[in-house]
Amino acid sequence: MSSSPGRAGTPPTLADVAELAGVSRQTVSNAVNNPDLLRADTLERVQQAIDELGYLPNRAARNLRTRASHLIGMRIKPAQEGTANATMDRFVHSLVDTSREAGYHVLLFSGELDDPLAGYDDLLRSTAVDAFVISDTFLGNPQAAWLETKRAPFVAFGRPWDNPVARHPWVDVDGAAGCELATNHLLDRGHERIAWIGWRKDSFIGEDRRAGWARAMRTRGLSTTGLASRVEDTVASGREAATVLLDEARPSGFVCASDTLAMGVLHALSERGLLPGRDIAVVGFDDSQVAQVVPPGLTSVRQPLEDVAIETVKALEGLLAHPPTASAGVLLKPSLVVRGSSGPE
Amino acid sequence: MSSSPGRAGTPPTLADVAELAGVSRQTVSNAVNNPDLLRADTLERVQQAIDELGYLPNRAARNLRTRASHLIGMRIKPAQEGTANATMDRFVHSLVDTSREAGYHVLLFSGELDDPLAGYDDLLRSTAVDAFVISDTFLGNPQAAWLETKRAPFVAFGRPWDNPVARHPWVDVDGAAGCELATNHLLDRGHERIAWIGWRKDSFIGEDRRAGWARAMRTRGLSTTGLASRVEDTVASGREAATVLLDEARPSGFVCASDTLAMGVLHALSERGLLPGRDIAVVGFDDSQVAQVVPPGLTSVRQPLEDVAIETVKALEGLLAHPPTASAGVLLKPSLVVRGSSGPE
DNA sequence: TTGAAAGCGCTAACAC
DNA sequence: GTGTTAGCGCTTTCAA
C-alpha cells in the first residue's frame, strides 16, 4: 500500500494519477470512463498509476458534473411489530443486491407516518437520488401521482390500482393467482369448505387476493357463501375471524390474505386443541419467517421478490437511460410453498 | 407552485435565488447555513425567494465542497431464510429513523458473502459515505480492524470481542444479562431443571449468552451439568437438541440463545404432544416477529434496538464532529417480554 | 453585513 | 489519441 501524495485521509484525485502517469487529467478520466479511446500503452500506464494510488473517482465531484447520484431512494415504513409481515425487508435485501449489479446503491429514508409524501420532496429537490422505488401501495399510492407531476423517475412495487391509466413503470405480484394456487392446493387435497380471511374492503390488494380464492371455488362449483371474513391485518383479528368461522361455517381449511392472519387461525386452532394440518388446513400469504419456522410449518404463497427486484431495477435503468425508456407494467406469478399446515405429506 | 426559471426538471440553484432576492449568491448561502449573519430584513427577503422557488441546496455540490456526504454506509447480509432472525432488519429501521433526525441518510450495500471487506473499500475511496455502521460481529469483526487502519470513521453494533483493546466506538446489548433475566424468570416460576440451547463455542455472542444462563443457575445453587447443548443456529438443530435434552436431562424449561432455536424446541414439543407453557417452559432471544405471533406467544429477550440506534448515531456524530470525539463503548440492557410459552400468567 | 474571487474533483466540448 | 478550457453548484476565504 503506497502512501498517497496528500495527507493520509485525503484520497488521491484525478490530478494525482495524471501526474504520476505523466498524462493530462482528461486522459485519466477517459481511462476510467472510455478506456477504448486510449492507446493501449497509455491505458496501461494510467491503469498502473490508478492501481498504485488506489484511485477511485470522487463521487461528489462526479455526481455534480454528471447530474446523477447513482442512488435509488426508497422509503421504509416503521417495522411492524406483532405481525408476520416482513415482505418489504426481504424486498429491500433483493433490491440492494440487484441495484449493486447495476451500479446503484440504495438510500433508505423514513418519513412522518401521516404524510405519505414526506421525505421524497427533499431528496428530489436536492438531487440526492436519481430515482425512487415506491412500495407502500397498500391502499393506493398518492406518491405515484405526486412523483409523476414532479417528473421524478420512479418505479412502483405494486400496481396503480386507483389509477389504471397511470403510465409509470410498475412491478407487481399476482396476488389473485397466488390465492387461487393456495385454494386449489386445498381443493386438490379434498377440501370443499374452504374459508377466506382477508383484509377490509378498502384494500385493493386484499380484494385482489380474495378474488383468487373465490375464483378457485367457483371454478369447482363450490359456494363461498358465509365462508369469507374481512378484518384488520392482525393476529387477534385473524383469531377472532377463525373462531367465528369455525363455529358458523365449519370449514375444513382456511386460506388467508397474510401470514399474520394465518397465525391468528393457528391461535384459534390451538385454543380448541385442534392441530393445523391434521384437523384443519391453513394456508398463509408471504412465506414469512414465521411461516417457515412455526410448527408444523405454514403453507404459504411466496412472492418472487428477487424477481421483483430484478424487474424493478430493469425498469429503473430504462428510466435513467439516455434517452429514457418507460417500460410497461410487469406482473409476476407467485408460488406456493407447501408445509405441514395444509395436511400430511 | 411557481415555475422555476430553468426548464422543469432542473431544480433552482443558489444563483436563481440570489437573482430573485436581489442579493449575491454568497448571501443566499449564508441565509441557509448561517442565518444569524444576515440582517433580519435581508434574511426575510432571501427566505421568501427560497420558498418561492422551492430551493434546496444541491447535494452533490455541497458534498464536493464540504467533503461530506451525510450518508452512513451499512452493509447488510442476505436475508436469512428458515430462521427467526431479523434483528438486523429491525436495527436498520431504527437506524434510518435516528439518522434522519441527525441529518444523515443510510446507504445500504451488500457484498460477496465470502469477503467481509467487499464494498467498504469502494465506498470509502470514492468518499461516498461519511462513516460506516458495522454489525455482523457474530464471529469477531475483521471489518473493524481494517477500517481502523484506513482511519475510516465507524461505529460497531457489537463489542470488539476478539480485540479488547480496540479503541473504536461500539454499542452492544448485554446478552448475558438477557439470558440471566430469562433464566431467573423461569427460576422464579419454580423451575429448577432449566436447559440451555445455544450456539457453537466459536461464537463470542453465544458464549456470552450462555454465561448468563449458567450464572443464574449457579446463583441459586443449581447444577448445570448435562443441561446444555451447543448447536448450529437452525430450527432443525434446536429441535434435535431439545429432543435429546428432553430424553436425557428431563428439563422443565428451556432457555435458548435465539428465537430460531426456541422454535426448534417448540417443534420438538409439538411432536410429543407437549404444550409450551403448560408442559414445558420455553424462552427465546430476540423478540422476533415469530415470538410475537406463534401460539401461545414465545417469551423472549428483547434487545433495545431503538436505543442501540440512538447510541450509534450519537457516537457517529462525535466521530464526525470537528474535532472528532471518540466515545467509549456502550452496553445496553435487554428486557424480557413474557408470553405464554413460559407458563400461564 | 454583504459581495467578489477561488476552487472542491470531475467530465463535456473542443482544439491540437 | 491527447491536452486545454470551462463549468457543474456550492462554501470558504477575504475584501469592501
Side-chain angles (χ1 to χ4, degrees):
Chain A
M1 208 63 37
S2 75
S3 67
S4 51
R7 293 191 319 286
T10 312
T13 73
L14 209 59
D16 297 327
V17 178
E19 192 181 2
L20 181 60
V23 296
S24 78
R25 281 159 37 207
Q26 181 51 31
T27 302
V28 179
S29 175
N30 283 337
V32 173
N33 300 306
N34 305 85
D36 39 326
L37 284 183
L38 300 205
R39 217 170 42 208
D41 61 326
T42 318
L43 180 58
E44 168 84 12
R45 198 150 38 96
V46 174
Q47 192 55 55
Q48 209 166 326
I50 287 176
D51 292 343
E52 185 172 340
L53 295 177
Y55 170 75
L56 220 58
N58 178 299
R59 285 286 265 257
R62 174 178 273 182
N63 292 351
L64 175 58
R65 187 64 240 228
T66 62
R67 298 173 173 287
S69 65
H70 283 264
L71 250 35
I72 308 290
M74 177 163 168
R75 172 172 156 166
I76 53 170
K77 289 190 296 187
Q80 288 187 280
E81 302 276 321
T83 74
N85 187 6
T87 302
M88 280 312 147
D89 289 335
R90 256 186 67 210
F91 176 61
V92 167
H93 275 95
S94 294
L95 186 66
V96 168
D97 285 342
T98 313
S99 301
R100 190 176 67 105
E101 290 162 19
Y104 286 87
H105 283 290
V106 174
L107 180 147
L108 252 35
F109 64 102
S110 60
E112 333 294 338
L113 272 169
D114 46 340
D115 180 3
L117 266 29
Y120 289 98
D121 198 32
D122 287 359
L123 289 170
L124 196 56
R125 292 196 343 240
S126 62
T127 62
V129 300
D130 291 346
F132 292 99
V133 171
I134 65 175
S135 60
D136 35 356
T137 60
F138 190 85
L139 302 173
N141 44 4
Q143 305 89 345
W146 184 84
L147 288 170
E148 267 183 343
T149 70
K150 295 284 180 183
R151 302 172 170 282
F154 72 98
V155 178
F157 173 14
R159 270 161 282 186
W161 298 101
D162 46 353
N163 180 13
V165 298
R167 303 290 302 272
H168 67 261
W170 54 264
V171 184
D172 205 356
V173 175
D174 192 337
C179 290
E180 199 170 359
L181 218 53
T183 309
N184 280 331
H185 167 64
L186 294 189
L187 290 166
D188 290 345
R189 292 201 164 178
H191 295 271
E192 298 210 324
R193 294 194 62 75
I194 301 170
W196 168 259
I197 303 182
W199 299 327
R200 290 172 315 171
K201 216 161 187 169
D202 56 356
S203 161
F204 294 105
I205 301 176
E207 287 307 287
D208 182 52
R209 293 186 183 175
R210 184 185 189 283
W213 161 77
R215 193 164 62 207
M217 294 290 277
R218 261 202 320 275
T219 303
R220 308 266 179 131
L222 295 168
S223 162
T224 57
T225 310
L227 281 169
S229 184
R230 287 190 181 90
V231 296
E232 293 261 327
D233 190 39
T234 66
V235 175
S237 302
R239 191 187 61 72
E240 286 164 33
T243 301
V244 171
L245 283 164
L246 281 169
D247 285 339
E248 298 182 356
R250 305 227 151 257
S252 67
F254 287 89
V255 173
C256 303
S258 73
D259 282 353
T260 302
L261 292 173
M263 290 308 295
V265 177
L266 293 201
H267 275 261
L269 297 184
S270 153
E271 283 163 12
R272 304 186 167 209
L274 296 171
L275 241 46
R278 191 195 65 187
D279 305 319
I280 301 277
V282 185
V283 183
F285 198 112
D286 267 346
D287 193 29
S288 60
Q289 289 183 316
V290 177
Q292 296 167 20
V293 305
V294 70
L298 176 64
T299 296
S300 191
V301 177
R302 183 179 176 91
Q303 303 196 46
L305 298 184
E306 302 77 10
D307 296 331
V308 173
I310 289 170
E311 293 298 332
T312 300
V313 170
K314 208 181 287 178
L316 234 25
E317 288 184 294
L319 244 34
L320 297 174
H322 303 287
T325 32
S327 39
V330 176
L331 192 60
L332 300 172
K333 288 266 176 283
S335 57
L336 187 71
V337 181
V338 177
R339 300 199 178 86
S341 72
S342 57
E345 124 175 22
Chain B
M1 208 68 30
S2 76
S3 68
S4 50
R7 295 190 318 287
T10 311
T13 72
L14 209 57
D16 298 325
V17 178
E19 192 180 2
L20 181 60
V23 296
S24 79
R25 285 165 27 215
Q26 179 48 33
T27 302
V28 180
S29 175
N30 282 337
V32 174
N33 300 305
N34 305 85
D36 38 327
L37 284 182
L38 300 205
R39 218 169 41 208
D41 61 326
T42 318
L43 180 58
E44 167 82 13
R45 196 149 40 94
V46 174
Q47 192 56 53
Q48 209 166 324
I50 288 176
D51 293 343
E52 187 172 338
L53 294 177
Y55 169 75
L56 219 58
N58 178 299
R59 285 286 266 254
R62 174 177 271 184
N63 291 351
L64 176 58
R65 187 65 239 228
T66 61
R67 299 176 174 285
S69 64
H70 283 262
L71 250 36
I72 308 289
M74 178 162 166
R75 172 172 156 167
I76 54 171
K77 289 190 297 187
Q80 288 187 281
E81 302 277 320
T83 74
N85 188 6
T87 303
M88 280 313 146
D89 289 335
R90 255 186 68 210
F91 176 61
V92 166
H93 275 93
S94 294
L95 187 66
V96 168
D97 285 343
T98 313
S99 301
R100 190 175 67 105
E101 291 162 19
Y104 286 87
H105 283 290
V106 174
L107 180 148
L108 252 34
F109 65 103
S110 60
E112 332 294 339
L113 271 169
D114 45 342
D115 179 4
L117 266 30
Y120 289 99
D121 198 33
D122 287 358
L123 289 170
L124 195 55
R125 288 189 355 232
S126 62
T127 62
V129 299
D130 291 346
F132 292 100
V133 170
I134 67 175
S135 60
D136 35 357
T137 61
F138 191 85
L139 303 173
N141 44 4
Q143 307 89 345
W146 184 85
L147 288 169
E148 268 185 340
T149 71
K150 296 283 182 187
R151 300 172 169 283
F154 73 97
V155 177
F157 174 13
R159 271 161 281 185
W161 297 100
D162 46 353
N163 179 13
V165 298
R167 304 288 302 272
H168 67 262
W170 55 264
V171 184
D172 205 355
V173 175
D174 192 339
C179 290
E180 200 171 357
L181 217 54
T183 309
N184 280 330
H185 167 64
L186 294 190
L187 290 167
D188 290 346
R189 293 203 164 177
H191 295 270
E192 298 212 323
R193 293 193 63 74
I194 301 169
W196 168 260
I197 303 182
W199 300 328
R200 290 173 314 169
K201 219 161 185 169
D202 56 356
S203 161
F204 293 104
I205 301 175
E207 288 306 288
D208 182 51
R209 292 185 185 176
R210 183 185 190 282
W213 162 76
R215 195 164 59 208
M217 293 292 276
R218 260 202 320 274
T219 302
R220 308 266 179 135
L222 295 168
S223 163
T224 58
T225 310
L227 281 169
S229 185
R230 287 191 181 89
V231 297
E232 293 261 327
D233 191 39
T234 66
V235 175
S237 302
R239 192 187 61 72
E240 286 164 32
T243 302
V244 172
L245 283 165
L246 282 169
D247 285 339
E248 299 183 355
R250 305 228 152 259
S252 67
F254 287 88
V255 173
C256 303
S258 74
D259 281 353
T260 303
L261 292 173
M263 289 309 294
V265 176
L266 292 200
H267 274 262
L269 297 184
S270 151
E271 283 164 11
R272 303 184 168 209
L274 295 171
L275 241 46
R278 190 194 66 186
D279 305 319
I280 300 278
V282 185
V283 183
F285 198 111
D286 268 345
D287 192 30
S288 60
Q289 289 184 316
V290 177
Q292 295 168 20
V293 305
V294 69
L298 175 64
T299 296
S300 191
V301 177
R302 183 177 175 92
Q303 303 195 47
L305 297 184
E306 302 77 10
D307 296 330
V308 173
I310 290 170
E311 293 297 331
T312 300
V313 171
K314 209 180 286 177
L316 234 25
E317 288 185 293
L319 245 33
L320 297 172
H322 303 287
T325 31
S327 40
V330 176
L331 192 60
L332 299 172
K333 290 265 176 282
S335 57
L336 188 72
V337 182
V338 177
R339 299 197 179 86
S341 73
S342 55
E345 163 144 357

